[in-house]
PDB file of all heavy atoms in Angstrom:
ATOM      1  N   MET R  44     -53.079  41.261  40.001  1.00 98.00           N
ATOM      2  CA  MET R  44     -54.212  40.392  40.313  1.00 98.00           C
ATOM      3  C   MET R  44     -55.155  40.997  41.355  1.00 98.00           C
ATOM      4  O   MET R  44     -56.355  40.718  41.339  1.00 98.00           O
ATOM      5  CB  MET R  44     -53.732  39.005  40.756  1.00 98.00           C
ATOM      6  CG  MET R  44     -53.118  38.207  39.605  1.00 98.00           C
ATOM      7  SD  MET R  44     -54.146  38.115  38.108  1.00 98.00           S
ATOM      8  CE  MET R  44     -55.539  37.181  38.705  1.00 98.00           C
ATOM      9  N   ALA R  45     -54.647  41.843  42.223  1.00 98.00           N
ATOM     10  CA  ALA R  45     -55.518  42.527  43.185  1.00 98.00           C
ATOM     11  C   ALA R  45     -56.455  43.481  42.452  1.00 98.00           C
ATOM     12  O   ALA R  45     -57.645  43.573  42.774  1.00 98.00           O
ATOM     13  CB  ALA R  45     -54.690  43.277  44.221  1.00 98.00           C
ATOM     14  N   ILE R  46     -55.929  44.173  41.449  1.00 98.00           N
ATOM     15  CA  ILE R  46     -56.758  45.098  40.665  1.00 98.00           C
ATOM     16  C   ILE R  46     -57.767  44.313  39.828  1.00 98.00           C
ATOM     17  O   ILE R  46     -58.933  44.707  39.727  1.00 98.00           O
ATOM     18  CB  ILE R  46     -55.885  46.011  39.781  1.00 98.00           C
ATOM     19  CG1 ILE R  46     -54.915  46.829  40.646  1.00 98.00           C
ATOM     20  CG2 ILE R  46     -56.760  46.939  38.936  1.00 98.00           C
ATOM     21  CD1 ILE R  46     -53.833  47.544  39.856  1.00 98.00           C
ATOM     22  N   VAL R  47     -57.332  43.208  39.243  1.00 98.00           N
ATOM     23  CA  VAL R  47     -58.252  42.354  38.490  1.00 98.00           C
ATOM     24  C   VAL R  47     -59.394  41.915  39.406  1.00 98.00           C
ATOM     25  O   VAL R  47     -60.572  41.992  39.047  1.00 98.00           O
ATOM     26  CB  VAL R  47     -57.521  41.123  37.884  1.00 98.00           C
ATOM     27  CG1 VAL R  47     -58.507  40.094  37.359  1.00 98.00           C
ATOM     28  CG2 VAL R  47     -56.568  41.564  36.781  1.00 98.00           C
ATOM     29  N   GLY R  48     -59.060  41.458  40.603  1.00 98.00           N
ATOM     30  CA  GLY R  48     -60.078  41.042  41.566  1.00 98.00           C
ATOM     31  C   GLY R  48     -61.028  42.163  41.929  1.00 98.00           C
ATOM     32  O   GLY R  48     -62.237  41.947  42.074  1.00 98.00           O
ATOM     33  N   HIS R  49     -60.498  43.362  42.045  1.00 98.00           N
ATOM     34  CA  HIS R  49     -61.328  44.535  42.352  1.00 98.00           C
ATOM     35  C   HIS R  49     -62.344  44.793  41.231  1.00 98.00           C
ATOM     36  O   HIS R  49     -63.527  45.016  41.509  1.00 98.00           O
ATOM     37  CB  HIS R  49     -60.423  45.756  42.556  1.00 98.00           C
ATOM     38  CG  HIS R  49     -61.145  47.037  42.735  1.00 98.00           C
ATOM     39  ND1 HIS R  49     -61.817  47.362  43.888  1.00 98.00           N
ATOM     40  CD2 HIS R  49     -61.327  48.084  41.895  1.00 98.00           C
ATOM     41  CE1 HIS R  49     -62.374  48.560  43.752  1.00 98.00           C
ATOM     42  NE2 HIS R  49     -62.080  49.009  42.549  1.00 98.00           N
ATOM     43  N   LEU R  50     -61.884  44.773  39.997  1.00 98.00           N
ATOM     44  CA  LEU R  50     -62.791  45.010  38.870  1.00 98.00           C
ATOM     45  C   LEU R  50     -63.851  43.919  38.782  1.00 98.00           C
ATOM     46  O   LEU R  50     -65.008  44.190  38.469  1.00 98.00           O
ATOM     47  CB  LEU R  50     -62.012  45.100  37.554  1.00 98.00           C
ATOM     48  CG  LEU R  50     -61.071  46.291  37.404  1.00 98.00           C
ATOM     49  CD1 LEU R  50     -60.314  46.208  36.075  1.00 98.00           C
ATOM     50  CD2 LEU R  50     -61.816  47.606  37.507  1.00 98.00           C
ATOM     51  N   LYS R  51     -63.470  42.701  39.082  1.00 98.00           N
ATOM     52  CA  LYS R  51     -64.421  41.583  39.049  1.00 98.00           C
ATOM     53  C   LYS R  51     -65.459  41.706  40.163  1.00 98.00           C
ATOM     54  O   LYS R  51     -66.658  41.558  39.912  1.00 98.00           O
ATOM     55  CB  LYS R  51     -63.668  40.265  39.156  1.00 98.00           C
ATOM     56  CG  LYS R  51     -62.851  39.922  37.919  1.00 98.00           C
ATOM     57  CD  LYS R  51     -61.905  38.764  38.130  1.00 98.00           C
ATOM     58  CE  LYS R  51     -62.606  37.472  38.422  1.00 98.00           C
ATOM     59  NZ  LYS R  51     -61.667  36.326  38.520  1.00 98.00           N
ATOM     60  N   SER R  52     -65.009  41.979  41.373  1.00 98.00           N
ATOM     61  CA  SER R  52     -65.939  41.997  42.511  1.00 98.00           C
ATOM     62  C   SER R  52     -66.773  43.271  42.580  1.00 98.00           C
ATOM     63  O   SER R  52     -67.953  43.220  42.921  1.00 98.00           O
ATOM     64  CB  SER R  52     -65.190  41.793  43.822  1.00 98.00           C
ATOM     65  OG  SER R  52     -64.330  42.877  44.091  1.00 98.00           O
ATOM     66  N   GLU R  53     -66.182  44.402  42.258  1.00 97.00           N
ATOM     67  CA  GLU R  53     -66.894  45.677  42.394  1.00 97.00           C
ATOM     68  C   GLU R  53     -67.713  46.063  41.167  1.00 97.00           C
ATOM     69  O   GLU R  53     -68.674  46.810  41.271  1.00 97.00           O
ATOM     70  CB  GLU R  53     -65.912  46.807  42.718  1.00 97.00           C
ATOM     71  CG  GLU R  53     -65.208  46.646  44.054  1.00 97.00           C
ATOM     72  CD  GLU R  53     -66.178  46.655  45.227  1.00 97.00           C
ATOM     73  OE1 GLU R  53     -67.076  47.520  45.262  1.00 97.00           O
ATOM     74  OE2 GLU R  53     -66.034  45.778  46.105  1.00 97.00           O
ATOM     75  N   TYR R  54     -67.303  45.584  39.999  1.00 97.00           N
ATOM     76  CA  TYR R  54     -67.954  46.011  38.754  1.00 97.00           C
ATOM     77  C   TYR R  54     -68.506  44.850  37.939  1.00 97.00           C
ATOM     78  O   TYR R  54     -69.035  45.062  36.854  1.00 97.00           O
ATOM     79  CB  TYR R  54     -66.978  46.841  37.909  1.00 97.00           C
ATOM     80  CG  TYR R  54     -66.551  48.097  38.623  1.00 97.00           C
ATOM     81  CD1 TYR R  54     -65.377  48.130  39.368  1.00 97.00           C
ATOM     82  CD2 TYR R  54     -67.330  49.248  38.590  1.00 97.00           C
ATOM     83  CE1 TYR R  54     -64.979  49.273  40.045  1.00 97.00           C
ATOM     84  CE2 TYR R  54     -66.958  50.393  39.262  1.00 97.00           C
ATOM     85  CZ  TYR R  54     -65.786  50.398  39.989  1.00 97.00           C
ATOM     86  OH  TYR R  54     -65.403  51.526  40.664  1.00 97.00           O
ATOM     87  N   GLY R  55     -68.340  43.616  38.417  1.00 97.00           N
ATOM     88  CA  GLY R  55     -68.877  42.459  37.714  1.00 97.00           C
ATOM     89  C   GLY R  55     -68.181  42.153  36.401  1.00 97.00           C
ATOM     90  O   GLY R  55     -68.753  41.502  35.528  1.00 97.00           O
TER      91      GLY R  55
END
Side-chain angles (χ1 to χ4, degrees):
M44 290 309 295
I46 301 168
V47 168
H49 174 74
L50 294 177
K51 290 169 64 175
S52 66
E53 296 298 315
Y54 298 95

